[in-house]
Amino acid sequence: MNESGLAQQLLNLIRGKQNINQVWHCATRLRFTLKDRAKVPKDKIEALDGVITVVEASGQFQVVIGNNVGNVYHEVVKLEPSLSEGETSGETAAQGKMTFKSAFNSLLTFISGVFTPFLGAMAGAGILKGLLSLAVVMGWLTAKSGAYQIWWAAADGIFYFLPIALAFTAAKQLKVNQFVSMAIAAAMVSPGIVALGAKATTIDFFGIPVVPANYTATVLPILLVVVVQKFLEPVFNKLWHESVRNILAPVCLLVVIVPLTLIVVGPISATVSSWLATAIVSLNKSVPILAGLVLGGFWQVIVIFGVHWALVPVMMNNIAQNGTDLMMPILLPAVLSQAGAELAVFLRTRDAKMKSLAGSSTITALFGITEPTIYGITLKLKKPFYLACVAGAVGGMIVAISGAGANAAALASVLSLPTFIGKGFGLSVVGDVVAFALGTVLTYFFGGINAGAKTKIAPSANSELGEALAAPVKGVLVPLTGLADEVFASETMGKGVAIVPENGMVKAPVAGVIRLLYPTGHAIGIQSDKGSEILIHIGIDTVNLKGKHFQPLVAQGQHVEIGTPLVQFDHEAIEKEGYESTVMMIVTNSDQYQIATLGQGATDDRPVMTLA
């Protein structure tokens, strides 16, 4: 499916912009904050072509797309221009009672919304910094050469003026005047203020001493400043008449907040930043094995739950305070171990579709994008994910012992290695290699990659001509286009048939392998031995029953023959609950076939569809 079609389907299933508070994207995910989560069918979104999976974490509804997420996001915005990155659509949902969980989720949403818009540019600049460091070490360039100075300006600019970039995105998140925020940040990194900080020269503001500090490349000070602006801006907006408000309100904000920042907010945040950086450095120095074990082994788990954003400002703060960050190199084994596990799946799997996905995902994982690897392969197979975490822990401990640090912020990937050049670099590379190799070996031999697969899957849908699909349930055949569910009725998921059941036994319509089995039992996916991909969905909106009235009779990965019982369900009880019990059989890769529906009326064991 193309990006525009996927964007339209996502908006339809999420119930349009009226159900969206915010939408933005990171490297692989569309991130939504929704007004009413109950209106959104997670299973239907996960079934869309182009969607890897759906994750609900940190108060966000995250649709994992992969490398095309930027294109899908732009198509979403093109369809609904009001949903520009980080902005809200209409009125926000009513605020419930504040709890620790809701406050923490709000903080994570704020931090991720602040960093994601320019994360790519910042990561690219960080990699360029590392490459320049490598060039100097290898003697390819000197620090005084013109090429080095120009490229260093390109690499260092976004970090030097980081408060200005953060001011823009933070103000967008908090709905305050972005350009006033940028003006305040620009004052913090202006040449005069930077010079005072460099010389440790104390000045006074009407008799109040101003302690010098360097705000270039810092994170926390400007974020606190924008929070202060959030409270003061409405006060000054109310103070002035609308005829002069756009000029005099910014004047008041600059007159008040800039001195307040340099006198109070800046020194406090600088002190907190220093304490935080010292604590992390002390932990890494005193118990490096523990730091490596936790970060290397559990980093991908942290990513899954979305709380990794809480550590991004910490790592950047470490670089600003100490010149290096000891956490970032430890994360690379966690990434490379997943890439190794993915490589093992690629080498060993007999499933053509999984082999294709594993091959491409291995490459993206090496370059720091692990979501397609995790959600598409390792986490789905379970054992490869766990074994990769073990490998990441081992590699992380080695890297932690090395004492290597990153001198620039970048995505943890093979491209970030040059940013670690310095103390302990050689041993840290050993840890990275161990993590990758161990992830590959453990998964290859103990990952259970082909468990349950009794026959080899045909490599393509056209490996043999023709295939007949039997009725999955006995009943009355009805047109798919007449269903109340617009996703099935529109045939956007694929062509198929619908059957009003006479009994509660769903049987395999074809011989193949169970590739998808929802824990609720309401939907099951089969890849036939000839390559067709079939989704059997029992009822409409029956996911809301959470497994009630359904009993799966097979397991994911199991090979079945035509007529094998798959799911037993109570169609009468389902209808009494207020749901339709119609069974849909959809060929999700129907674009590869000429499809014919056979007959009308009551079904039996004879074919109801043919694929050619």
Side-chain angles (χ1 to χ4, degrees), residues 296-379:
F298 294 98
W299 178 250
Q300 295 301 339
V301 178
I302 293 171
V303 170
I304 289 172
F305 286 99
V307 295
H308 61 298
W309 286 108
L311 297 176
V312 171
V314 176
M315 291 185 284
M316 297 186 67
N317 174 68
N318 290 341
I319 294 173
Q321 293 290 322
N322 302 318
T324 59
D325 172 61
L326 299 177
M327 295 172 64
M328 213 170 291
I330 301 175
L331 304 183
L332 184 53
V335 171
L336 296 180
S337 63
Q338 293 289 334
E342 190 82 337
L343 176 61
V345 173
F346 170 76
L347 294 173
R348 186 148 191 180
T349 184
R350 297 194 297 267
D351 184 327
K353 184 176 181 180
M354 183 174 289
K355 184 179 286 289
S356 175
L357 178 60
S360 60
S361 297
T362 299
I363 297 172
T364 59
L366 288 172
F367 289 102
I369 306 299
T370 57
E371 277 89 343
T373 295
I374 295 173
Y375 295 118
I377 301 290
T378 59
L379 192 59

Side-chain angles (χ1 to χ4, degrees), residues 458-527:
S460 71
N462 297 317
S463 59
E464 295 183 33
L465 295 176
E467 183 159 21
L469 306 184
V473 67
K474 186 176 181 181
V476 178
L477 200 66
V478 295
L480 193 65
T481 54
L483 296 179
D485 190 295
E486 62 183 67
V487 175
F488 291 113
S490 64
E491 297 187 334
T492 53
M493 291 185 64
K495 296 184 179 297
V497 296
I499 300 171
V500 178
E502 293 180 359
N503 60 37
M505 182 61 70
V506 172
K507 298 180 180 181
V510 70
V513 176
I514 304 300
R515 292 300 179 205
L516 175 70
L517 179 61
Y518 280 86
T520 54
H522 76 286
I524 188 167
I526 304 174
Q527 183 176 23

Side-chain angles (χ1 to χ4, degrees), residues 95 348 560:
Q95 298 295 316
R348 186 148 191 180
V560 296

